[in-house]
Amino acid sequence: MSYERKVANQIARKTNSLSSFSYLMQQMRGAHPSTVKNILAKKSPQLLHELIEREQKPRPEKNSDGHDNPVLAAWYFTPCSTNKFVNLQNWSRKKIALLGTPSLLTPLSQQSERVTLFDFDPKIQNFEERNIQNTEIVRCDIRSDDLSKFNKCFDIAVIDPPWYLEDYKFWLNAAFRLIRQDGIVCGSLFPNLTRPAASQERAVIENTLNENGATFSIVPDFFLYSVPSFEVAQLQKLSLPTAPWKRADLFISTPLNVNQHQPFHDESMTIHSGIDPRKWLAISCGKFSVFLIPHSKHASTTELLEPAEDGDGILRSPSLRSAGRQRANVLTSNGRAFVSADADKLALVLQKIAKAGYLEDNPELISSRSHHFLTKLFGMES
């Protein structure tokens, strides 16, 4: 059965007379809103209209400050999901490793012996400044950094990797090395309709863990994510609601065989070139952030700033593997992707605009085309 048919069948099963588009999306097992909209527009445009008409205006998300990280594709659990996870068990006297789950740091620190957060998002500096008791924060790339000094230090490891099989291999290996022999690894697992190959990729994860002696159990649709700022712009461009829609299953896995240190072997693993956080520099521009690759000069343009795809720079696809995302050497927390002929010069211009609050009209420094996209990016009049 084709992927589109599977998504269409799920729509038919989960739609009722009281459904809104956001409610339906939470039942869609990972299919993106743009995919659901396209199928409905083709097969039942009247139903699509009714679903959006029933939509209620979402409450503002308190945990998004407009600076969410598109380089890491950083999605975080809603407060409700965070509380649901924290209430699963008694965490007292537990030493917990959090891999990419910063929203769990504060509540678990109040109930456990020790919590260590492993993450690369610059936002974790906010937690460092709070000086939370019983916590340690390690800024690292889980796929490539040496974390061996933490091996077998934890009772539980909780992971929320990027939703690609390659990343799960690295993160699961890291998590199983961190826990003691009787420890537990748990966390998010992408649903079976996330993309056409998602079911097969989930099977690879489960089968590999089982083959190495670990048990593997699933709680469907356990987690709900807040919509990050970079996704909001994409949904708004599609005239779709921006309420939380993305869910993940909770998986729980017991330890490997006594002689196994990691479930996935090196020859089966490759780091996806589209996600290398060390290459990117974050620049705060007031209400949003720009992420660029220092010293990069994109060969496809002579402009200081030009959309990586046609139009206004808002990516058509949220995938880290999309053509526009792969081309870009400039990304923004409000959902844009650009190419720049001189990223260092752009960084200086961005810092100047953020400080002054306006963009000088200087044709010798900035062409009219780049000037146009900069003013649009900052919400200024062109």
Side-chain angles (χ1 to χ4, degrees):
M1 186 185 299
S2 71
Y3 175 68
E4 183 174 314
R5 171 56 60 186
K6 290 178 181 177
V7 175
N9 288 347
Q10 184 73 357
I11 292 172
R13 283 194 295 267
K14 297 299 180 180
T15 305
N16 60 53
S17 60
L18 299 178
S19 296
S20 65
F21 190 85
S22 295
Y23 175 83
L24 175 63
M25 283 309 310
Q26 291 187 26
Q27 324 303 316
M28 287 308 301
R29 299 293 297 149
H32 192 266
S34 60
T35 301
V36 175
K37 179 185 178 181
N38 290 340
I39 291 173
L40 282 168
K42 185 192 305 182
K43 297 182 178 295
S44 184
Q46 180 59 35
L47 176 58
L48 173 61
H49 174 75
E50 292 172 0
L51 289 169
I52 293 179
E53 280 292 303
R54 296 186 195 124
E55 195 67 37
Q56 294 182 353
K57 188 175 181 180
R59 296 176 182 177
E61 287 291 316
K62 294 181 180 179
N63 55 332
S64 178
D65 58 5
H67 295 262
D68 295 322
N69 193 324
V71 178
L72 300 174
W75 290 68
Y76 296 123
F77 304 142
T78 63
C80 182
S81 284
T82 296
N83 292 336
K84 185 165 66 167
F85 182 83
V86 170
N87 291 330
L88 277 177
Q89 71 162 60
N90 183 349
W91 304 92
S92 63
R93 289 185 285 187
K94 300 292 185 184
K95 293 182 179 178
I96 305 168
L98 301 178
L99 285 69
T101 56
S103 60
L104 297 174
L105 180 67
T106 301
L108 286 179
S109 71
Q110 297 166 354
Q111 300 189 27
S112 59
E113 180 177 332
R114 184 78 178 169
V115 182
T116 302
L117 172 64
F118 300 88
D119 207 316
F120 199 84
D121 195 334
K123 273 190 172 186
I124 65 174
Q125 294 173 356
N126 297 335
F127 293 104
E128 292 173 332
E129 292 168 0
R130 295 178 202 169
N131 196 24
I132 306 167
Q133 288 187 335
N134 306 325
T135 64
E136 180 179 5
I137 295 175
V138 180
R139 189 160 188 244
C140 62
D141 185 345
I142 292 164
R143 298 162 310 160
S144 57
D145 286 349
D146 181 8
L147 304 178
S148 58
K149 73 174 185 177
F150 297 99
N151 284 0
K152 300 188 183 302
C153 289
F154 301 96
D155 303 297
I156 300 171
V158 187
I159 72 171
D160 186 26
W163 283 12
Y164 296 96
L165 179 58
E166 301 97 320
D167 291 282
Y168 271 81
K169 291 178 179 180
F170 283 99
W171 286 52
L172 284 166
N173 277 358
F176 276 104
R177 289 194 294 263
L178 291 174
I179 62 168
R180 299 187 174 103
Q181 191 55 47
D182 60 348
I184 293 173
V185 173
C186 62
S188 67
L189 182 65
F190 52 88
N192 60 306
L193 291 180
T194 300
R195 55 185 165 270
S199 291
Q200 295 94 314
E201 292 169 352
R202 283 166 57 101
V204 169
I205 294 170
E206 181 173 1
N207 293 339
T208 303
L209 292 178
N210 288 338
E211 289 166 4
N212 286 278
T215 63
F216 191 80
S217 57
I218 292 287
V219 182
D221 294 329
F222 184 89
F223 294 110
L224 180 65
Y225 291 84
S226 297
V227 179
S229 55
F230 53 83
E231 170 95 356
V232 168
Q234 295 169 358
L235 293 175
Q236 288 175 336
K237 185 174 182 178
L238 294 168
S239 300
L240 290 175
T242 58
W245 64 270
K246 185 175 180 178
R247 285 194 175 275
D249 297 343
L250 167 66
F251 80 87
I252 303 169
S253 187
T254 57
L256 306 169
N257 289 329
V258 67
N259 294 322
Q260 289 292 109
H261 301 292
Q262 58 187 42
F264 295 96
H265 302 295
D266 293 341
E267 58 268 20
S268 73
M269 299 163 63
T270 56
I271 296 179
H272 186 252
S273 60
I275 318 171
D276 186 354
R278 296 192 186 282
K279 289 183 178 179
W280 296 78
L281 171 70
I283 300 174
S284 178
C285 296
K287 294 182 179 180
F288 66 97
S289 291
V290 173
F291 301 79
L292 53 79
I293 302 176
H295 317 310
S296 61
K297 298 178 183 293
H298 209 287
S300 69
T301 184
T302 59
E303 295 290 340
L304 193 61
L305 196 68
E306 186 166 32
E309 297 177 336
D310 293 338
D312 54 8
I314 298 176
L315 286 169
R316 290 190 291 270
S317 168
S319 173
L320 292 170
R321 297 169 174 171
S322 70
R325 170 63 179 77
Q326 289 290 301
R327 287 189 68 224
N329 62 344
V330 181
L331 298 170
T332 75
S333 64
N334 55 9
R336 274 76 173 172
F338 298 96
V339 292
S340 175
D342 190 338
D344 290 344
K345 180 179 176 182
L346 176 62
L348 294 174
V349 171
L350 291 171
Q351 290 164 348
K352 188 173 182 179
I353 298 171
K355 183 176 181 180
Y358 64 92
L359 174 61
E360 292 181 4
D361 190 1
N362 185 345
E364 295 181 2
L365 181 65
I366 304 172
S367 73
S368 60
R369 182 169 174 79
S370 294
H371 191 282
H372 168 76
F373 289 115
L374 281 165
T375 54
K376 289 290 186 184
L377 181 60
F378 279 83
M380 302 173 183
E381 291 298 325
S382 231

